[in-house]
């Protein structure tokens, strides 16, 4: 029940912020600009919180490029991405960790913990490449499944770098979208989307193969001779 309430709360936040757009982005930019020399750091903190509240990262990154230019803006965007990952992961761990383990059962939860220990960092990196998945929602889920904070921070930094470059550069080039920098950003976006699609397909196939070999998954081995009997032996 606690996990269901938490999920409902997250989806309500997603609707209000990402769909209904109840937050005035222009007002946020004006408020940040008013802080003067501290504006980049202020924008990192504000964007990290807004990102955890499901403000689209593309909008925040474009605002960073518009305010600070392509060079400083990229570092601001990356700082905000790491901040969002940490905030969402901490909240997810606090609100959903115990409930997720209870829902999965001790055996499956321990198996997931072992998998996270081996591949948690690259799971975070790979998720950032897959198009169409909310980084904040994924970070809440990673937190609920117990991904360590250092993996969240490093994984978010590495995995968010291509999109940070793309959206920040496009924001900085908004007045001249025919510039070479804008075309470069579009090319990087295309490559990232293709890599993400292939990564998602590979991950799904790997999961299916693992499920076929997992005695607790309820799916028998594909080997009719040695699958089930091999496990019994």
């Amino acid at each position: 029940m606690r996990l269901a309430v938490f999920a409902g709360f997250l989806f309500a936040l997603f609707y209000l912020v990402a769909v209904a757009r109840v937050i005035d982005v222009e007002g946020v930019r004006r408020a940040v600009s008013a802080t003067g020399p501290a504006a980049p750091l202020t924008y990192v903190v504000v964007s990290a919180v807004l990102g955890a509240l499901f403000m689209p990262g593309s909008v925040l990154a474009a605002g960073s490029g518009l305010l600070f230019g392509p060079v400083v803006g990229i570092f601001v965007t990356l700082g905000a991405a790491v901040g969002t990952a940490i905030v969402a992961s901490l909240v997810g761990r606090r609100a959903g960790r115990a409930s997720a383990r209870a829902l999965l059962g001790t055996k499956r939860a321990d198996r997931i913990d072992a998998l996270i220990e081996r591949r948690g960092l690259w799971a975070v990196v790979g998720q950032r490449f897959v198009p169409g998945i909310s980084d904040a929602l994924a970070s809440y889920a990673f937190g609920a499944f117990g991904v360590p904070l250092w993996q969240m921070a490093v994984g978010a930094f590495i995995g968010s770098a291509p999109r940070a470059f793309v959206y920040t550069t496009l924001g900085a080039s908004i007045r001249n979208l025919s510039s070479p920098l804008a075309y470069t950003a579009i090319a990087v976006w295309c490559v990232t989307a293709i890599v993400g699609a292939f990564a998602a397909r590979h991950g799904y196939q790997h999961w299916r193969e693992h499920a076929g070999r997992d005695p607790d998954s309820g799916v028998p081995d594909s080997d009719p001779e040695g699958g089930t009997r091999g496990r019994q032996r």
Side-chain angles (χ1 to χ4, degrees):
M1 181 62 67
R2 180 180 179 181
L3 195 61
V5 171
F6 179 55
F9 174 73
L10 291 182
F11 279 111
L13 272 182
F14 178 81
Y15 174 78
L16 291 173
V17 178
V19 179
R21 303 291 178 89
V22 297
I23 297 177
D24 181 11
V25 180
E26 290 299 326
V28 171
R29 290 174 186 164
R30 289 194 297 270
V32 169
S33 298
T35 60
L41 182 59
T42 303
Y43 199 77
V44 168
V45 175
V46 171
S47 293
V49 174
L50 291 179
L53 295 176
F54 295 103
M55 176 69 73
S58 57
V59 174
L60 295 171
S64 175
L66 186 63
L67 287 173
F68 309 114
V71 178
V72 175
I74 289 173
F75 289 100
V76 171
T77 299
L78 285 174
V82 172
T84 293
I86 292 175
V87 170
S89 176
L90 284 173
V91 174
R93 181 186 294 267
R94 177 85 177 185
R97 173 68 170 154
S99 301
R101 288 188 64 87
L103 188 64
L104 290 169
T106 302
K107 194 171 183 178
R108 283 193 176 90
D110 289 343
R111 196 162 58 244
I112 288 176
D113 286 344
L115 185 63
I116 287 172
E117 186 176 351
R118 295 195 307 270
R119 301 177 181 173
L121 172 62
W122 299 113
V124 177
V125 173
Q127 177 272 313
R128 294 303 194 275
F129 278 83
V130 178
I133 298 180
S134 166
D135 291 345
L137 188 59
S139 296
Y140 283 116
F142 282 134
F145 283 115
V147 176
L149 279 182
W150 75 267
Q151 292 185 357
M152 290 299 306
V154 176
F157 183 85
I158 296 173
S160 299
R163 282 189 292 174
F165 170 78
V166 170
Y167 294 123
T168 305
T169 300
L170 288 176
S173 307
I174 194 68
R175 296 181 182 87
N176 184 18
L177 291 177
S178 61
S179 67
L181 197 59
Y183 285 123
T184 302
I186 294 171
V188 172
W189 182 87
C190 292
V191 171
T192 302
I194 293 171
V195 171
F198 275 104
R201 183 173 180 272
H202 176 74
Y204 176 72
Q205 289 178 338
H206 180 76
W207 175 80
R208 287 292 301 271
E209 292 171 1
H210 179 76
R213 295 191 301 266
D214 188 353
D216 294 324
S217 66
V219 181
D221 283 340
S222 57
D223 182 359
E225 295 295 329
T228 305
R229 285 178 299 179
R231 284 199 301 267
Q232 290 174 347
R233 288 198 298 269

